[in-house]
Amino acid sequence: MAEMTEATNMETSPVENNNELALITPETQPKRRKKKSMVWEYFTIETVSAGCRRACCNRCKQSFAYSTGSKVAGTSHLKRHIAKGTCPALLRDQYNNQLTPYSPKTGGGEPRKRRYRSPSSPFIPFDQDRCRHEIARMIIMYEYPLHMVEHPGFIAFVQNLQPRFDKVSFNTVQGDCVATYLREKQSLMKLIEGIPGRVCLTLDMWTSNQTLGYVFITGHFIDFEWKLQRRVLNVIMEPYPDSDSALSHAVAACLSDWSLEGKLFSLIFNHPTSEAGLENLRPLLCTKNPLILNGQLLLGNCIARNLSSMAKDVLGAGHEIVKKIRDSVKYVKTSESHDEKFVQVKNQLQVPSEKSLILDNQNQWNTTYQMLAAASELKEVFNCLDTSDPDYKLAPSMEDWKVAETLCTFLKPLFDAASILMTTTNPTAITFFHEAWKIHADLGRSIANDDPFISNIAKSMLEKIDKYWKDCSLILAIAVVMDPRFKMKLVEFSFTKIFGEDAPTYIKIVDDGIHELFLEYVALPLPLTPTYTEEGNVGNNGKTDESQQGNLLSDQGLTDFDVYIMETSSQQMKSELDQYLEESLLPRVQEFDVLGWWKLNKMKYPTLSKMARDILSIPVSAAAPDSVFDIIIKQLDEYRSSLRPETVEALICAKDWLHHGSEESNALVKMEF
C-alpha cells in the first residue's frame, strides 16, 4: 500500500480542438487534489466535449462515463470493469501469466528490482470466509482428515502463505463441511422433486472395525432430458447390520429424508438378507403387486458381487500358477536393471505385444487378470530372460503358461461384463442381458470339455450364473423389451436356448408381468399421463400461464371427465403396449441411444414411455463404479469410523454431489478496492 501512496498521478486528459482530441497541459487545467483510488492505474480521463469527460481503460480502450458538467459519475462502475473480469485485456494477461512457468533465479544474476503493481496483477483482497469454504471443499473432494487443519505443518504452511488467515479448529471445519453438504442437498432436492418418473435404489453395505454397518444408498432415475442420473443419497449407520430390519430401516429413512414415499420402483442390494428381511422391504415398493415378475423388482443378487465371486473361483483354481507369474512380474518390476534387461530381451526376440507388465492388487481381480494377460503375451521373454539375467530363476513352465491362458479365457468374459457396470450414463440392464446370456451359454459348452481342469472351473461358475439368471433374468428381460431393436423377440430366443422345455413358462411370466405393469400406468390419473403436461411444467417452471386459466381443457372442474376417459378407454390405452410389441424391430446399430429413442417417441407412446423411463433406470449392481472389481467387502477406514455418523454421511454424499457439478463453479475471482 506504501507504493500506492508514493506514486503521484500525473493526469493527462485530451480535449476537443478542431474536432480532434488534444492533450491538456497542466497549465490549461485547474489544479485538483491527487486521485488516490487504485482505479486510476487502469484508466485515463479523456475530455470528449465541453463539460463532458469519459474514463478510458488503458488496456482494452473501452470508455465509460465519468463527468457531465458538475455531475461526477464516481468510480464504482470502473472498479467493476477491472474486478469482475469484464476487461478482456486484463483477462488475457492473467491467463498468460498463469501459463508462464516459474523459473528460479540463480546467484550472480542481476540485482533484484523493486516491484510495482502493474495493471496485469489487480489487487485481490484476503477473504477469510472464502478460504474456509475452499478448505472444506478440499477436505471433501480429496478425503483429507478433518484434523489436518490442526496439524502443525498445515498451520505453518498457511501462516507463511497468508499471515492474516485465522487458524480454524476441527469443530469449525467440520461445521463448514456440513454446511457445504446442506447447500448441495438443497440443490439436489430441487432436482429430485421435479423428476417425472420413479426412483430405483441400490444398497451397498460396508463394514467397519467396530462391527458397525454403513448402508450406502444410491438413487437412480431418468430426468426430464431423458438422461440417466445417479446420486448417493444417504450413508446410514446400522449398529446391527445382520438384523432383519437393518436394510428396511435404512430405506425407510432415505424415503422420508427425500420425500420419495410412493416413488420407489425397485431395490437392488448385495447384503445377505433373510426371508423376513425381504418381507420388510417389499411394502416399500410403489407397485401395487410387489410380487410382480416373481418379485424381481426386489433383488438381493448384485451382479458385480456375482462376477467377483466367479472370478475368485477361477483364480483360486490356479492360485499356484498365479503366484509363480506374480513372482516373475515382481522380479522384473521392482528393479530398474531387471526391467531394462527384460525390455532388451523383448526387443531382441521382436515380441509384438504392446502390453506392459503390471503388478496386481490382490483385492481387485481385474488387475490380476490384466497381469496374467500381459505376462502370457510376453511368456517368450520370461522363458529367455535367464540368458541375459542369470539371477532370474523363476520362469514358469510351458504347462504353467497353458494354465494361465486357460484362466484368462474364463476371466475375459467376466472382465468385459463387469466393465459395462463402470458406465453411469447408459442403462446397463439391456446390455447386461446379452452378457449374462453369453456367459451362461459359453459355460454350458465348457462344462463338456474333456480337460477336467476346464470342466471343473466351468461347473463351479455355471452354478453361480445359473442361480443369478433364474433370480434376475425376468427383470433384465423387461428392460430388453423396452429396447425397440429386440422387444419380446430376443427374450423368446434366449430363453429357448437357456431354459429349453421350460422356456414357455418363463416367457409367459415376462409377458404377463409387463402387461400387468402397464395397466398400473394406465390407471394413473390422466392429467399426470400425457407428455405435454410434463413438458409444460419444465418450460414454465411449474407456473401456469394466466392465459390458460380459463381454458375449457384445464384440469379444474373436469375430474369426472378424467374418470370417464379412464373407464371408457382402458382397452384403447392397453393396446398402446400391444401396438409397440407388434411393430417391426428397428435395425441393430452399434451406437443406439435407447433413451433418446423414447424421448423422440413419447408423444406416440405417452403411457408406455413413462413405464419405459422407470424400467430403463433399473440398475443391475449395487456396487459403486470404483468397487465393481472388489473381491472383499468394503470397509470404512478407521478414521472415518471415529467420526459422527452425520459427519460421515455429509462428507461422502457431498463429495459425490460436488463431483457431479451440483454447485456452480466460481470462475471469477472476487476483488475489492
Side-chain angles (χ1 to χ4, degrees):
M1 296 300 293
E3 299 171 10
M4 291 179 57
T5 56
E6 288 177 7
T8 57
N9 244 336
M10 297 301 295
E11 182 182 12
T12 58
S13 301
V15 295
E16 187 178 43
N17 184 16
N18 297 326
N19 297 325
E20 294 183 358
L21 295 179
L23 291 177
I24 285 183
T25 64
E27 290 78 14
T28 61
Q29 180 169 319
K31 290 185 179 181
R32 296 189 304 273
R33 63 182 178 88
K34 298 175 185 177
K35 296 182 180 299
K36 296 181 179 180
S37 174
M38 188 185 133
V39 161
W40 303 114
E41 294 188 16
Y42 300 89
F43 288 90
T44 300
I45 294 179
E46 296 178 348
T47 301
V48 296
S49 64
C52 178
R53 293 185 297 165
R54 296 182 68 81
C56 178
C57 177
N58 297 332
R59 307 311 307 276
C60 67
K61 304 307 178 185
Q62 293 185 54
S63 67
F64 300 84
Y66 179 61
S67 68
T68 303
S70 61
K71 183 177 181 182
V72 179
T75 59
S76 297
H77 61 305
L78 306 182
K79 293 176 183 176
R80 286 195 294 271
H81 178 69
I82 300 300
K84 299 300 182 181
T86 56
C87 178
L90 270 181
L91 284 177
R92 188 163 54 249
D93 289 345
Q94 290 172 9
Y95 177 74
N96 292 335
N97 289 342
Q98 291 173 0
L99 297 181
T100 303
Y102 170 69
S103 54
K105 301 290 184 182
T106 58
E110 296 182 3
R112 295 180 60 186
K113 297 180 180 180
R114 184 175 181 180
R115 292 185 178 181
Y116 294 91
R117 181 176 293 117
S118 66
S120 62
S121 56
F123 173 66
I124 303 176
F126 169 69
D127 188 335
Q128 173 82 11
D129 293 337
R130 179 72 182 177
C131 291
R132 283 177 46 185
H133 173 71
E134 291 301 330
I135 288 176
R137 282 176 59 91
M138 177 184 70
I139 288 174
I140 291 170
M141 291 299 295
Y142 303 105
E143 300 184 11
Y144 295 141
L146 295 171
H147 285 88
M148 72 173 287
V149 296
E150 296 179 345
H151 293 172
F154 179 81
I155 294 173
F157 168 73
V158 172
Q159 287 299 312
N160 280 281
L161 192 66
Q162 175 51 266
R164 295 169 58 193
F165 181 76
D166 294 333
K167 184 175 66 174
V168 293
S169 66
F170 165 82
N171 289 334
T172 300
V173 78
Q174 179 179 241
D176 291 343
C177 289
V178 172
T180 300
Y181 158 78
L182 293 174
R183 284 195 301 270
E184 296 300 322
K185 186 173 184 178
Q186 288 300 316
S187 300
L188 185 56
M189 275 276 196
K190 293 178 181 178
L191 175 64
I192 291 179
E193 286 173 0
I195 61 174
R198 297 169 176 175
V199 175
C200 301
L201 296 182
T202 56
L203 314 179
D204 190 12
M205 178 73 81
W206 288 34
T207 62
S208 71
N209 55 4
Q210 301 168 324
T211 69
L212 300 174
Y214 290 83
V215 185
F216 284 59
I217 304 180
T218 304
H220 304 255
F221 55 91
I222 294 174
D223 63 18
F224 275 109
E225 296 299 322
W226 285 84
K227 300 296 183 183
L228 185 61
Q229 302 289 346
R230 175 189 180 277
R231 297 288 190 280
V232 177
L233 300 181
N234 294 96
V235 178
I236 298 177
M237 189 268 286
E238 288 293 337
Y240 306 102
D242 296 324
S243 67
D244 295 337
S245 60
L247 293 183
S248 58
H249 170 265
V251 173
C254 174
L255 297 180
S256 174
D257 190 19
W258 294 91
S259 302
L260 291 175
E261 294 91 342
K263 298 190 72 173
L264 178 58
F265 187 63
S266 75
L267 265 174
I268 315 292
F269 49 94
N270 62 359
H271 188 64
T273 306
S274 65
E275 190 60 37
L278 291 175
E279 293 308 313
N280 289 335
L281 287 169
R282 289 194 194 282
L284 300 175
L285 297 175
C286 63
T287 52
K288 294 180 180 178
N289 177 13
L291 296 176
I292 193 172
L293 295 166
N294 282 2
Q296 287 190 14
L297 287 175
L298 189 67
L299 289 180
N301 205 341
C302 168
I303 187 57
R305 296 291 173 260
N306 231 286
L307 293 174
S308 294
S309 178
M310 288 191 285
K312 193 174 180 180
D313 289 347
V314 174
L315 295 172
H319 69 280
E320 293 181 359
I321 308 303
V322 173
K323 185 180 184 305
K324 283 185 180 181
I325 295 176
R326 181 182 293 119
D327 289 342
S328 289
V329 174
K330 190 184 300 182
Y331 179 86
V332 173
K333 299 304 292 182
T334 55
S335 169
E336 188 173 340
S337 62
H338 295 168
D339 197 12
E340 290 175 356
K341 291 176 181 178
F342 186 86
V343 173
Q344 182 181 2
V345 174
K346 177 187 175 184
N347 293 335
Q348 291 173 350
L349 296 174
Q350 297 182 343
V351 177
S353 175
E354 296 294 329
K355 291 185 177 179
S356 301
L357 290 178
I358 63 166
L359 195 58
D360 66 328
N361 173 1
Q362 296 182 50
N363 291 332
Q364 293 190 312
W365 64 267
N366 62 312
T367 62
T368 306
Y369 161 68
Q370 291 167 333
M371 179 187 72
L372 293 176
S376 295
E377 288 194 8
L378 298 167
K379 61 184 177 183
E380 296 178 43
V381 184
F382 281 106
N383 291 337
C384 299
L385 184 58
D386 58 350
T387 60
S388 178
D389 187 354
D391 294 333
Y392 177 64
K393 309 289 185 184
L394 304 171
S397 66
M398 293 306 296
E399 188 63 29
D400 293 338
W401 288 117
K402 182 180 177 182
V403 172
E405 290 171 355
T406 299
L407 298 180
C408 288
T409 301
F410 280 112
L411 290 172
K412 186 180 187 308
L414 303 181
F415 175 79
D416 292 340
S419 297
I420 296 171
L421 302 176
M422 303 287 286
T423 181
T424 57
T425 57
N426 298 312
T428 54
I430 296 174
T431 310
F432 212 84
F433 181 88
H434 304 274
E435 296 298 324
W437 169 38
K438 184 169 63 176
I439 292 172
H440 194 283
D442 290 345
L443 292 176
R445 289 188 293 268
S446 298
I447 207 169
N449 195 289
D450 294 334
D451 187 335
F453 180 75
I454 294 177
S455 60
N456 288 338
I457 293 178
K459 183 179 179 181
S460 172
M461 295 174 67
L462 187 61
E463 289 177 359
K464 293 184 176 181
I465 194 66
D466 194 48
K467 181 180 185 305
Y468 174 81
W469 188 256
K470 288 182 178 178
D471 289 347
C472 307
S473 60
L474 301 181
I475 198 66
L476 295 179
I478 66 167
V480 170
V481 174
M482 292 294 101
D483 189 327
R485 297 172 296 171
F486 304 112
K487 302 182 183 180
M488 282 296 297
K489 296 298 182 182
L490 183 61
V491 175
E492 295 165 359
F493 175 78
S494 57
F495 278 20
T496 301
K497 295 285 187 182
I498 294 174
F499 296 117
E501 295 179 355
D502 296 331
T505 302
Y506 289 99
I507 293 172
K508 187 175 187 303
I509 292 174
V510 174
D511 188 66
D512 291 348
I514 203 165
H515 278 83
E516 181 182 351
L517 191 59
F518 178 71
L519 288 177
E520 284 196 21
Y521 284 82
V522 172
L524 290 175
L526 195 61
L528 298 180
T529 303
T531 307
Y532 60 77
T533 301
E534 70 176 45
E535 295 301 319
N537 288 340
V538 176
N540 297 326
N541 296 321
K543 297 180 181 178
T544 304
D545 193 332
E546 293 180 2
S547 63
Q548 297 177 352
Q549 291 181 359
N551 195 316
L552 180 62
L553 297 181
S554 65
D555 294 338
Q556 299 176 3
L558 292 178
T559 306
D560 293 340
F561 177 70
D562 294 338
V563 175
Y564 170 76
I565 290 295
M566 285 191 291
E567 292 175 349
T568 58
S569 61
S570 60
Q571 190 63 36
Q572 179 182 355
M573 293 293 287
K574 181 181 178 181
S575 67
E576 187 179 309
L577 172 61
D578 295 328
Q579 177 187 348
Y580 165 77
L581 295 175
E582 290 170 5
E583 288 182 350
S584 58
L585 303 180
L586 293 184
R588 293 196 306 278
V589 292
Q590 187 70 23
E591 299 297 328
F592 180 72
D593 181 6
V594 64
L595 294 179
W597 186 89
W598 279 106
K599 181 180 180 180
L600 292 174
N601 288 271
K602 60 190 175 186
M603 297 298 290
K604 182 178 181 181
Y605 302 111
T607 303
L608 190 60
S609 65
K610 289 184 176 292
M611 186 173 82
R613 188 197 296 267
D614 295 338
I615 290 174
L616 294 176
S617 67
I618 297 176
V620 295
S621 170
D626 60 351
S627 304
V628 166
F629 297 101
D630 288 353
I631 56 178
I632 59 172
I633 297 176
K634 298 287 284 188
Q635 182 171 348
L636 205 66
D637 61 71
E638 184 175 355
Y639 177 77
R640 291 203 167 186
S641 299
S642 67
L643 300 175
R644 297 182 344 192
E646 298 84 0
T647 304
V648 173
E649 180 178 56
L651 293 173
I652 293 173
C653 291
K655 179 184 178 181
D656 181 74
W657 302 341
L658 289 172
H659 175 73
H660 284 92
S662 57
E663 182 178 69
E664 294 183 2
S665 175
N666 293 311
L668 299 178
V669 178
K670 175 184 174 185
M671 290 181 274
E672 297 174 0
F673 297 91

